[in-house]
Amino acid sequence: MLEKESFKLLLEALEQLEIGFQRMPEFNSVYELDNLRTVLLEVATRMQDNFPYPHPLYVGQMLKPPHPIARLAYMLSLWINPNNHALDGGRASTFMEKETVQEIAKMFGWKTHLGHLCGGGTIANLEALWVAGKVKPGLKIVASEQSHYTHERICGVLGLPFTSVKSDCQGRIDVNALENLLKAGDVGTVVVTMGTTATGSVDPLPAILELRSQYNFRIHADAAYGGYFTLANNLAETTRAAFDCLSAVDSLVIDPHKHGLQPYGCGCVIFSDPTVGAFYQHECPFTYFTSSELHLGEISLECSRPGASAVALWATQRLLPYTLEGQFATELSKSRTAALALWQKIQADGRFIVPFIPELDILVWTPRAKSASIASQLAKDIFTQAAKNNLHLAIAHLPIEFFINIYPEMQRDQDQITCLRSCLMKPEHLDWIDEIWQLLENSYLQTTPN
Ligand SMILES: *Cc1c(COP(=O)(O)O)cnc(C)c1O
């Protein structure tokens, strides 16, 4: 199950890296290989206690294995262990980081930008909302009910007022409800989610841009999950239209560690107005900013950051550039095709309620039942049974409206439904849809009484 072939390249690459440091006198690190071996094998045994994330039958949470090139480049860089806080801590990896962020900005059609990599979507959103609060002091941040819970929490950390906006039955922000809020005149920033974490729903950015011309607010796009789908060639028309106007937002967050084939610890925040860099200004007596070129630590809230993340992302972009018909784009399109294929099967079957066609590659559904509580219990039982059959799904809690909308006969004895959820993130998923469906159906049959 674990890819090992590519590992052989690491030794060759390390020798190449070493050439750059031949001028230094020899020295040896002190360690006992045997002791390392004992501990490392213990680690390997401990790590067996995991779900099989890299396998196509893992269709649960947002977990996608990093590309072998990302793994190798990350490991290779650890022999240097660069710190992208400053050029003095990692020269090559700082330049590589600037190039990777440039590629991300280019993918969204941005002409100017300021941005950097960071620990993940949470920190990236924190920086974007921190800047939003500086540009629009005292004004509210609003985001839909289906936006990531991180926004409300971040606003708490930053001391910014936050209000959530109703979402519609497709999991998108309700534009009328948003406009009603805007009329009060105290909204500074609207968070637009480009692919919600629960269902992959994409907020209607074109309509929100229209509102902006009237109400003058800032737009922050949380594309942590969905951002890369701008490269897909098989989005629905409304989804496509939303992605096509991303160049008009003020800030954007994307997680290369979600759909960008990177190990965890790789998020990215970009701003369309480079002058927001001034908000980051600080003075520090021990700084090691010894060159006049921009050090990423001057435009980042985090200080020490792994140069390894930049090196891994750079290598991945080099191998799989963000071009429209390239392999990277094709594989993302395949993920949506896989979600549509599974949607087709579940939807046609009649034993399940599927609230809507997946906009990206996330699918939610629940068994048809007399009441919301029975459906929820069944969903949990199927989840458990499926795992016994080696099919690893996820569960989600969603507003009952999503499901009643499709199946009004269901008794509304609670406001939320526990449903099944699948993120079909791996390109291999498409070839496994029949197998996945078969295991799902078996699990359903083993779970339901008759
Ligand atoms: C995952 C996610 C986040 C949080 O990002 P982390 O990388 O997990 O910190 C924020 N917003 C959305 C839409 C996400 O999907």
Side-chain angles (χ1 to χ4, degrees), residues 333-350:
S333 305
K334 259 180 143 176
S335 280
R336 175 150 202 270
T337 307
L340 287 176
L342 188 58
W343 171 79
Q344 197 87 42
K345 286 187 184 292
I346 299 176
Q347 144 92 9
D349 182 75

Side-chain angles (χ1 to χ4, degrees), residues 120-132:
T122 305
I123 297 298
N125 277 305
L126 174 94
E127 293 202 16
L129 296 186
W130 175 67
V131 166

